[in-house]
Amino acid sequence: MATPVPKAPPQVADAPALSPLPAVLQMPAWPVTNAQLATTAPRIFLDNLDGRIASIASRHKADHGASDAEALASLLLFRFQIRGWLGDAELAAEILKKGTQAHPQHGGLHLAHAHWLALFHRFAEAEQALALARKDASVDPGVADKLQRDINLALGRYAALDPDFHEPGKEPPAEFNALAARADAAIMHGDLKLASTLYFEAQAHYHDSAPFPLAWLHTQQGIALLRHGHFAAAAQFFAAARTRLPEYVLASEHLAECLMELGQLDEARAIYLEVIEATANPEFISALSDLEAKAGNAQESSRLRAQALAAYGQLLARHPDAYGQHAAQFFLDIGELERARALADANLRVRQDVGSRLLRADVAHAMGDFQRRDEELMAVKATGLMPPEYVDLLRRSAL
């Protein structure tokens, strides 16, 4: 479907005020502590994960069975999502490529491959792999449907999403994952109050012993607050997630971000150094560069910026679709607008979700290309969604 041509730019009056802190944040045990709701100790949890990976890897090396390939790749990808080490994801990709070639009828392998491809923003290939997975009757259609929903969301196919996305507050179910998904949708609709209530309700429906889902949930609530500029409140949730699972990189780097915004530079620096050592992710290196600039350490800030620039070059050579959006934001932040524009355009060709459109609009705004900015803003407005970044750009556009 063609993007509507705007007849007039959006008006700042279309944007509501940024949401105040939701009252649900005052509820006791939100976020719940490990003393209030115990989960497996993080060291035991991660040692068990490492042990399972080592055991299956040893077995897979001997026989290259389909089930072991599926399990090994899935666990490696899970560990990547916790620790952020790209080597795990790249090893998973190699296993899946060889496994699907050796066992072309094994639906579970194709499904795992589809998950990997979607995570790395190779969506057309992901849908092809998902179609192959569905040919195997042993594949759970609910799992396949969930992945297709995630792909539709990432591509901006909002009309194809179920009513739960469009009306997240209507009769929310009493189930952890469904409540969290409704909360994510509420943020897209600009409703921080509803999202926070749904995240809180999801916590009440968690009855497992694994620490990761709770750490993930608290991180999602923290991200929602961070996106609305509530740094102190967000930091509490990131800290809770980090306490429950210290190796969870997403929680740690967002905690550092909040601490930097709150002026706690030494504490933020220590966490950034930790996550950079663990991942070598240029996004974190760039954030530390910003911190050093705030701290008055211009030489160290410049060194880190150059390091981030080199690291982004390597990532873009290996996984351009997955890291193009992050790189575009990096170049926008450092004022290299032509490079930001090229990357934002490439990213928009891969996916047309509101985040990608807002990034392109932000680049256009910085370049003084107000017609392109307004075109993208109108395309976002046409979705009916109101994420906080849209509100922010509308306000900046009215200045």
Side-chain angles (χ1 to χ4, degrees):
M1 179 188 242
T3 301
V5 176
K7 293 187 170 125
Q11 299 299 311
V12 72
D14 293 336
L18 285 178
S19 301
L21 280 173
V24 71
L25 298 187
Q26 303 303 316
M27 294 293 289
W30 182 228
V32 70
T33 67
N34 199 59
Q36 295 164 328
L37 179 58
T39 51
T40 302
R43 185 72 269 147
I44 294 173
F45 174 74
L46 290 170
D47 283 350
N48 286 341
L49 177 58
D50 292 343
R52 290 171 65 198
I53 288 173
S55 175
I56 298 172
S58 177
R59 197 165 62 230
H60 178 255
K61 186 177 180 180
D63 64 17
H64 299 284
S67 295
D68 281 342
E70 176 191 354
L72 179 57
S74 297
L75 289 173
L76 285 166
L77 201 56
F78 179 48
R79 191 167 68 180
F80 165 67
Q81 291 175 290
I82 296 172
R83 287 178 166 159
W85 184 46
L86 185 58
D88 273 343
E90 291 180 329
L91 179 56
E94 181 181 339
I95 292 166
L96 288 166
K97 181 179 179 180
K98 292 179 179 178
T100 53
Q101 290 172 348
H103 307 280
Q105 307 304 318
H106 194 280
L109 271 172
H110 288 296
L111 184 61
H113 196 202
H115 275 286
W116 189 97
L117 291 163
L119 184 63
F120 279 76
H121 297 183
R122 291 163 58 176
F123 298 111
E125 294 170 85
E127 291 190 310
Q128 291 171 4
L130 186 56
L132 292 172
R134 289 185 187 274
K135 292 181 179 180
D136 186 342
S138 68
V139 168
D140 184 343
V143 175
D145 289 345
K146 168 65 167 57
L147 178 55
Q148 183 64 66
R149 180 188 185 278
D150 292 344
I151 292 171
N152 288 339
L153 183 60
L155 290 174
R157 296 173 181 164
Y158 303 116
L161 296 175
D162 53 42
D164 291 352
F165 176 82
H166 297 286
E167 297 182 279
K170 185 176 180 180
E171 300 177 7
E175 195 275 323
F176 177 83
N177 290 312
L179 285 164
R182 293 282 191 104
D184 293 343
I187 289 296
M188 295 288 287
H189 287 278
D191 195 336
L192 179 61
K193 178 181 177 181
L194 174 60
S196 300
T197 299
L198 291 168
Y199 285 133
F200 175 67
E201 291 180 5
Q203 177 183 266
H205 289 85
Y206 188 68
H207 307 296
D208 204 344
S209 61
F212 175 73
L214 273 183
W216 171 84
L217 182 75
H218 294 157
T219 298
Q220 294 304 111
Q221 172 69 94
I223 290 171
L225 293 165
L226 175 61
R227 290 172 67 184
H228 283 82
H230 297 304
F231 303 114
Q236 295 178 9
F237 284 88
F238 296 135
R242 179 172 161 84
T243 298
R244 194 170 291 274
L245 191 57
E247 290 82 356
Y248 188 25
V249 167
L250 187 63
S252 294
E253 64 99 354
H254 279 310
L255 176 58
E257 182 181 357
C258 289
L259 294 174
M260 180 169 65
E261 292 288 347
L262 294 168
Q264 299 178 40
L265 300 188
D266 290 340
E267 295 89 338
R269 181 187 291 110
I271 297 174
Y272 275 132
L273 288 171
E274 175 190 319
V275 297
I276 289 168
E277 182 179 5
T279 69
N281 190 318
E283 184 176 353
F284 309 156
I285 299 170
S286 175
L288 183 57
S289 172
D290 293 342
L291 184 151
E292 296 300 355
K294 285 189 176 186
N297 302 324
Q299 186 173 355
E300 178 63 3
S301 175
S302 179
R303 183 190 72 81
L304 288 164
R305 178 177 292 183
Q307 184 181 344
L309 180 61
Y312 266 124
Q314 295 172 4
L315 278 183
L316 289 171
R318 290 153 66 183
H319 305 290
D321 292 345
Y323 291 96
Q325 186 167 2
H326 296 283
Q329 186 65 57
F330 167 73
F331 286 113
L332 173 61
D333 291 343
I334 67 174
E336 293 197 21
L337 300 184
E338 283 298 335
R339 296 187 74 175
R341 179 197 57 75
L343 286 163
D345 281 341
N347 177 68
L348 199 56
R349 287 192 291 272
V350 172
R351 55 195 307 211
Q352 294 82 45
D353 65 322
V354 294
S356 298
R357 291 198 176 281
L358 288 170
L359 172 61
R360 186 61 184 88
D362 213 352
V363 172
H365 180 75
M367 298 183 78
D369 184 357
F370 302 132
Q371 179 177 349
R372 179 60 186 271
R373 177 200 67 191
D374 293 342
E375 287 174 0
E376 297 298 346
L377 286 174
M378 287 298 292
V380 173
K381 183 178 181 180
T383 69
L385 301 174
M386 188 82 68
E389 295 80 8
Y390 174 61
V391 176
D392 174 66
L393 187 51
L394 280 180
R395 288 180 163 171
R396 286 189 283 125
S397 300
L399 295 179

mmCIF file of all heavy atoms in Angstrom, residues 345-376:
data_model
loop_
_atom_site.group_PDB
_atom_site.id
_atom_site.type_symbol
_atom_site.label_atom_id
_atom_site.label_comp_id
_atom_site.label_asym_id
_atom_site.label_seq_id
_atom_site.Cartn_x
_atom_site.Cartn_y
_atom_site.Cartn_z
ATOM 1 N N ASP A 345 17.545 5.460 5.217
ATOM 2 C CA ASP A 345 16.841 5.056 3.997
ATOM 3 C C ASP A 345 16.931 3.547 3.786
ATOM 4 O O ASP A 345 15.941 2.882 3.441
ATOM 5 C CB ASP A 345 17.433 5.773 2.783
ATOM 6 C CG ASP A 345 16.934 7.200 2.643
ATOM 7 O OD1 ASP A 345 15.890 7.519 3.234
ATOM 8 O OD2 ASP A 345 17.595 7.985 1.943
ATOM 9 N N ALA A 346 18.132 2.997 3.985
ATOM 10 C CA ALA A 346 18.312 1.550 3.831
ATOM 11 C C ALA A 346 17.468 0.795 4.845
ATOM 12 O O ALA A 346 16.841 -0.227 4.519
ATOM 13 C CB ALA A 346 19.788 1.190 3.986
ATOM 14 N N ASN A 347 17.421 1.301 6.060
ATOM 15 C CA ASN A 347 16.613 0.656 7.091
ATOM 16 C C ASN A 347 15.134 0.705 6.747
ATOM 17 O O ASN A 347 14.394 -0.267 6.964
ATOM 18 C CB ASN A 347 16.865 1.339 8.441
ATOM 19 C CG ASN A 347 16.012 0.767 9.547
ATOM 20 O OD1 ASN A 347 16.183 -0.372 9.957
ATOM 21 N ND2 ASN A 347 15.075 1.558 10.034
ATOM 22 N N LEU A 348 14.708 1.820 6.179
ATOM 23 C CA LEU A 348 13.294 1.969 5.821
ATOM 24 C C LEU A 348 12.911 1.045 4.671
ATOM 25 O O LEU A 348 11.752 0.636 4.547
ATOM 26 C CB LEU A 348 13.005 3.428 5.471
ATOM 27 C CG LEU A 348 11.551 3.900 5.509
ATOM 28 C CD1 LEU A 348 10.924 3.633 6.863
ATOM 29 C CD2 LEU A 348 11.477 5.381 5.176
ATOM 30 N N ARG A 349 13.873 0.698 3.843
ATOM 31 C CA ARG A 349 13.588 -0.278 2.788
ATOM 32 C C ARG A 349 13.394 -1.676 3.373
ATOM 33 O O ARG A 349 12.668 -2.500 2.807
ATOM 34 C CB ARG A 349 14.729 -0.289 1.761
ATOM 35 C CG ARG A 349 14.745 0.941 0.859
ATOM 36 C CD ARG A 349 15.683 0.756 -0.322
ATOM 37 N NE ARG A 349 17.083 0.722 0.077
ATOM 38 C CZ ARG A 349 17.857 1.803 0.189
ATOM 39 N NH1 ARG A 349 17.357 3.014 -0.071
ATOM 40 N NH2 ARG A 349 19.132 1.681 0.520
ATOM 41 N N VAL A 350 14.021 -1.941 4.508
ATOM 42 C CA VAL A 350 13.905 -3.244 5.165
ATOM 43 C C VAL A 350 12.616 -3.340 5.957
ATOM 44 O O VAL A 350 11.945 -4.375 5.959
ATOM 45 C CB VAL A 350 15.115 -3.483 6.092
ATOM 46 C CG1 VAL A 350 14.933 -4.740 6.939
ATOM 47 C CG2 VAL A 350 16.397 -3.590 5.272
ATOM 48 N N ARG A 351 12.251 -2.259 6.615
ATOM 49 C CA ARG A 351 11.063 -2.279 7.476
ATOM 50 C C ARG A 351 10.424 -0.897 7.489
ATOM 51 O O ARG A 351 11.118 0.113 7.432
ATOM 52 C CB ARG A 351 11.438 -2.715 8.892
ATOM 53 C CG ARG A 351 12.534 -1.872 9.512
ATOM 54 C CD ARG A 351 13.170 -2.494 10.735
ATOM 55 N NE ARG A 351 12.203 -2.876 11.728
ATOM 56 C CZ ARG A 351 12.471 -2.873 13.052
ATOM 57 N NH1 ARG A 351 13.653 -2.504 13.492
ATOM 58 N NH2 ARG A 351 11.571 -3.253 13.915
ATOM 59 N N GLN A 352 9.093 -0.890 7.588
ATOM 60 C CA GLN A 352 8.356 0.378 7.565
ATOM 61 C C GLN A 352 7.540 0.566 8.849
ATOM 62 O O GLN A 352 6.430 1.095 8.822
ATOM 63 C CB GLN A 352 7.438 0.447 6.340
ATOM 64 C CG GLN A 352 8.174 0.484 5.010
ATOM 65 C CD GLN A 352 8.610 -0.885 4.535
ATOM 66 O OE1 GLN A 352 7.829 -1.837 4.596
ATOM 67 N NE2 GLN A 352 9.846 -1.015 4.090
ATOM 68 N N ASP A 353 8.090 0.142 9.964
ATOM 69 C CA ASP A 353 7.400 0.360 11.230
ATOM 70 C C ASP A 353 7.547 1.821 11.654
ATOM 71 O O ASP A 353 8.312 2.586 11.055
ATOM 72 C CB ASP A 353 7.953 -0.573 12.302
ATOM 73 C CG ASP A 353 9.398 -0.273 12.631
ATOM 74 O OD1 ASP A 353 10.173 0.047 11.707
ATOM 75 O OD2 ASP A 353 9.768 -0.347 13.814
ATOM 76 N N VAL A 354 6.821 2.219 12.688
ATOM 77 C CA VAL A 354 6.832 3.636 13.064
ATOM 78 C C VAL A 354 8.213 4.065 13.551
ATOM 79 O O VAL A 354 8.622 5.215 13.326
ATOM 80 C CB VAL A 354 5.758 3.945 14.129
ATOM 81 C CG1 VAL A 354 4.364 3.757 13.566
ATOM 82 C CG2 VAL A 354 5.954 3.132 15.391
ATOM 83 N N GLY A 355 8.955 3.170 14.214
ATOM 84 C CA GLY A 355 10.286 3.536 14.669
ATOM 85 C C GLY A 355 11.212 3.889 13.517
ATOM 86 O O GLY A 355 11.980 4.858 13.590
ATOM 87 N N SER A 356 11.134 3.130 12.441
ATOM 88 C CA SER A 356 11.965 3.403 11.272
ATOM 89 C C SER A 356 11.541 4.710 10.596
ATOM 90 O O SER A 356 12.386 5.489 10.125
ATOM 91 C CB SER A 356 11.869 2.246 10.283
ATOM 92 O OG SER A 356 12.362 1.055 10.864
ATOM 93 N N ARG A 357 10.247 4.952 10.534
ATOM 94 C CA ARG A 357 9.765 6.189 9.924
ATOM 95 C C ARG A 357 10.150 7.404 10.782
ATOM 96 O O ARG A 357 10.524 8.467 10.254
ATOM 97 C CB ARG A 357 8.254 6.136 9.725
ATOM 98 C CG ARG A 357 7.830 5.134 8.652
ATOM 99 C CD ARG A 357 6.435 5.387 8.154
ATOM 100 N NE ARG A 357 6.086 4.483 7.074
ATOM 101 C CZ ARG A 357 6.480 4.629 5.808
ATOM 102 N NH1 ARG A 357 7.239 5.664 5.476
ATOM 103 N NH2 ARG A 357 6.111 3.768 4.877
ATOM 104 N N LEU A 358 10.088 7.253 12.086
ATOM 105 C CA LEU A 358 10.444 8.371 12.959
ATOM 106 C C LEU A 358 11.936 8.667 12.893
ATOM 107 O O LEU A 358 12.346 9.830 12.966
ATOM 108 C CB LEU A 358 10.003 8.073 14.390
ATOM 109 C CG LEU A 358 8.496 8.141 14.623
ATOM 110 C CD1 LEU A 358 8.128 7.588 15.988
ATOM 111 C CD2 LEU A 358 7.995 9.581 14.477
ATOM 112 N N LEU A 359 12.745 7.625 12.762
ATOM 113 C CA LEU A 359 14.179 7.849 12.594
ATOM 114 C C LEU A 359 14.437 8.635 11.310
ATOM 115 O O LEU A 359 15.221 9.598 11.292
ATOM 116 C CB LEU A 359 14.923 6.520 12.565
ATOM 117 C CG LEU A 359 16.405 6.589 12.214
ATOM 118 C CD1 LEU A 359 17.183 7.425 13.239
ATOM 119 C CD2 LEU A 359 16.999 5.185 12.128
ATOM 120 N N ARG A 360 13.792 8.232 10.215
ATOM 121 C CA ARG A 360 13.981 8.939 8.949
ATOM 122 C C ARG A 360 13.481 10.376 9.057
ATOM 123 O O ARG A 360 14.093 11.313 8.508
ATOM 124 C CB ARG A 360 13.250 8.207 7.819
ATOM 125 C CG ARG A 360 13.524 8.802 6.442
ATOM 126 C CD ARG A 360 14.990 8.732 6.089
ATOM 127 N NE ARG A 360 15.297 9.378 4.803
ATOM 128 C CZ ARG A 360 15.583 10.669 4.670
ATOM 129 N NH1 ARG A 360 15.583 11.464 5.734
ATOM 130 N NH2 ARG A 360 15.876 11.171 3.479
ATOM 131 N N ALA A 361 12.384 10.570 9.770
ATOM 132 C CA ALA A 361 11.868 11.924 9.981
ATOM 133 C C ALA A 361 12.843 12.749 10.811
ATOM 134 O O ALA A 361 13.046 13.941 10.551
ATOM 135 C CB ALA A 361 10.506 11.858 10.664
ATOM 136 N N ASP A 362 13.446 12.129 11.802
ATOM 137 C CA ASP A 362 14.397 12.828 12.662
ATOM 138 C C ASP A 362 15.623 13.264 11.859
ATOM 139 O O ASP A 362 16.125 14.389 12.021
ATOM 140 C CB ASP A 362 14.824 11.911 13.812
ATOM 141 C CG ASP A 362 15.097 12.679 15.089
ATOM 142 O OD1 ASP A 362 15.098 13.919 15.056
ATOM 143 O OD2 ASP A 362 15.321 12.031 16.125
ATOM 144 N N VAL A 363 16.109 12.394 10.985
ATOM 145 C CA VAL A 363 17.241 12.746 10.126
ATOM 146 C C VAL A 363 16.847 13.906 9.207
ATOM 147 O O VAL A 363 17.602 14.873 9.037
ATOM 148 C CB VAL A 363 17.712 11.530 9.309
ATOM 149 C CG1 VAL A 363 18.750 11.946 8.276
ATOM 150 C CG2 VAL A 363 18.278 10.452 10.230
ATOM 151 N N ALA A 364 15.676 13.812 8.613
ATOM 152 C CA ALA A 364 15.211 14.887 7.729
ATOM 153 C C ALA A 364 15.102 16.207 8.486
ATOM 154 O O ALA A 364 15.463 17.274 7.962
ATOM 155 C CB ALA A 364 13.869 14.504 7.113
ATOM 156 N N HIS A 365 14.602 16.155 9.713
ATOM 157 C CA HIS A 365 14.491 17.356 10.541
ATOM 158 C C HIS A 365 15.860 17.983 10.763
ATOM 159 O O HIS A 365 16.027 19.202 10.625
ATOM 160 C CB HIS A 365 13.839 16.996 11.878
ATOM 161 C CG HIS A 365 13.666 18.158 12.805
ATOM 162 N ND1 HIS A 365 12.700 19.109 12.626
ATOM 163 C CD2 HIS A 365 14.354 18.514 13.933
ATOM 164 C CE1 HIS A 365 12.778 20.009 13.590
ATOM 165 N NE2 HIS A 365 13.780 19.675 14.393
ATOM 166 N N ALA A 366 16.853 17.150 11.080
ATOM 167 C CA ALA A 366 18.201 17.656 11.314
ATOM 168 C C ALA A 366 18.808 18.254 10.053
ATOM 169 O O ALA A 366 19.612 19.200 10.115
ATOM 170 C CB ALA A 366 19.093 16.533 11.843
ATOM 171 N N MET A 367 18.417 17.731 8.884
ATOM 172 C CA MET A 367 18.956 18.209 7.614
ATOM 173 C C MET A 367 18.171 19.384 7.050
ATOM 174 O O MET A 367 18.522 19.938 6.002
ATOM 175 C CB MET A 367 18.971 17.060 6.586
ATOM 176 C CG MET A 367 19.853 15.893 6.984
ATOM 177 S SD MET A 367 19.917 14.581 5.729
ATOM 178 C CE MET A 367 21.074 15.326 4.547
ATOM 179 N N GLY A 368 17.097 19.769 7.732
ATOM 180 C CA GLY A 368 16.268 20.853 7.228
ATOM 181 C C GLY A 368 15.352 20.451 6.095
ATOM 182 O O GLY A 368 14.785 21.311 5.401
ATOM 183 N N ASP A 369 15.184 19.165 5.896
ATOM 184 C CA ASP A 369 14.305 18.649 4.841
ATOM 185 C C ASP A 369 12.915 18.455 5.449
ATOM 186 O O ASP A 369 12.494 17.343 5.758
ATOM 187 C CB ASP A 369 14.857 17.329 4.299
ATOM 188 C CG ASP A 369 14.038 16.778 3.138
ATOM 189 O OD1 ASP A 369 13.008 17.387 2.793
ATOM 190 O OD2 ASP A 369 14.423 15.726 2.587
ATOM 191 N N PHE A 370 12.204 19.547 5.631
ATOM 192 C CA PHE A 370 10.957 19.502 6.379
ATOM 193 C C PHE A 370 9.836 18.814 5.610
ATOM 194 O O PHE A 370 8.914 18.251 6.222
ATOM 195 C CB PHE A 370 10.557 20.912 6.806
ATOM 196 C CG PHE A 370 11.604 21.588 7.646
ATOM 197 C CD1 PHE A 370 12.006 22.879 7.370
ATOM 198 C CD2 PHE A 370 12.217 20.919 8.697
ATOM 199 C CE1 PHE A 370 12.980 23.504 8.141
ATOM 200 C CE2 PHE A 370 13.194 21.527 9.476
ATOM 201 C CZ PHE A 370 13.577 22.816 9.199
ATOM 202 N N GLN A 371 9.907 18.835 4.286
ATOM 203 C CA GLN A 371 8.889 18.119 3.515
ATOM 204 C C GLN A 371 8.987 16.618 3.783
ATOM 205 O O GLN A 371 7.968 15.964 4.030
ATOM 206 C CB GLN A 371 9.047 18.397 2.020
ATOM 207 C CG GLN A 371 8.021 17.644 1.180
ATOM 208 C CD GLN A 371 8.122 17.968 -0.301
ATOM 209 O OE1 GLN A 371 8.816 18.887 -0.706
ATOM 210 N NE2 GLN A 371 7.409 17.196 -1.114
ATOM 211 N N ARG A 372 10.208 16.069 3.734
ATOM 212 C CA ARG A 372 10.360 14.630 4.001
ATOM 213 C C ARG A 372 10.011 14.308 5.447
ATOM 214 O O ARG A 372 9.384 13.279 5.728
ATOM 215 C CB ARG A 372 11.790 14.184 3.680
ATOM 216 C CG ARG A 372 12.050 12.701 3.944
ATOM 217 C CD ARG A 372 11.122 11.804 3.113
ATOM 218 N NE ARG A 372 11.257 10.404 3.452
ATOM 219 C CZ ARG A 372 12.136 9.566 2.866
ATOM 220 N NH1 ARG A 372 12.968 10.012 1.926
ATOM 221 N NH2 ARG A 372 12.175 8.298 3.205
ATOM 222 N N ARG A 373 10.415 15.175 6.361
ATOM 223 C CA ARG A 373 10.041 14.968 7.769
ATOM 224 C C ARG A 373 8.535 14.858 7.917
ATOM 225 O O ARG A 373 8.021 13.937 8.568
ATOM 226 C CB ARG A 373 10.566 16.138 8.612
ATOM 227 C CG ARG A 373 10.176 16.085 10.079
ATOM 228 C CD ARG A 373 10.289 17.454 10.720
ATOM 229 N NE ARG A 373 9.301 18.401 10.184
ATOM 230 C CZ ARG A 373 9.320 19.709 10.425
ATOM 231 N NH1 ARG A 373 10.284 20.239 11.156
ATOM 232 N NH2 ARG A 373 8.374 20.490 9.927
ATOM 233 N N ASP A 374 7.806 15.786 7.300
ATOM 234 C CA ASP A 374 6.359 15.806 7.458
ATOM 235 C C ASP A 374 5.692 14.625 6.757
ATOM 236 O O ASP A 374 4.660 14.123 7.215
ATOM 237 C CB ASP A 374 5.792 17.129 6.950
ATOM 238 C CG ASP A 374 6.225 18.307 7.815
ATOM 239 O OD1 ASP A 374 6.664 18.060 8.957
ATOM 240 O OD2 ASP A 374 6.139 19.449 7.349
ATOM 241 N N GLU A 375 6.280 14.175 5.654
ATOM 242 C CA GLU A 375 5.750 12.985 4.993
ATOM 243 C C GLU A 375 5.817 11.780 5.929
ATOM 244 O O GLU A 375 4.851 11.004 6.042
ATOM 245 C CB GLU A 375 6.543 12.698 3.712
ATOM 246 C CG GLU A 375 6.265 13.658 2.579
ATOM 247 C CD GLU A 375 7.191 13.421 1.391
ATOM 248 O OE1 GLU A 375 8.039 12.493 1.483
ATOM 249 O OE2 GLU A 375 7.070 14.133 0.391
ATOM 250 N N GLU A 376 6.948 11.620 6.588
ATOM 251 C CA GLU A 376 7.085 10.477 7.494
ATOM 252 C C GLU A 376 6.195 10.639 8.725
ATOM 253 O O GLU A 376 5.597 9.660 9.202
ATOM 254 C CB GLU A 376 8.547 10.314 7.914
ATOM 255 C CG GLU A 376 9.503 9.995 6.768
ATOM 256 C CD GLU A 376 9.188 8.676 6.076
ATOM 257 O OE1 GLU A 376 8.424 7.862 6.604
ATOM 258 O OE2 GLU A 376 9.722 8.459 4.965
#
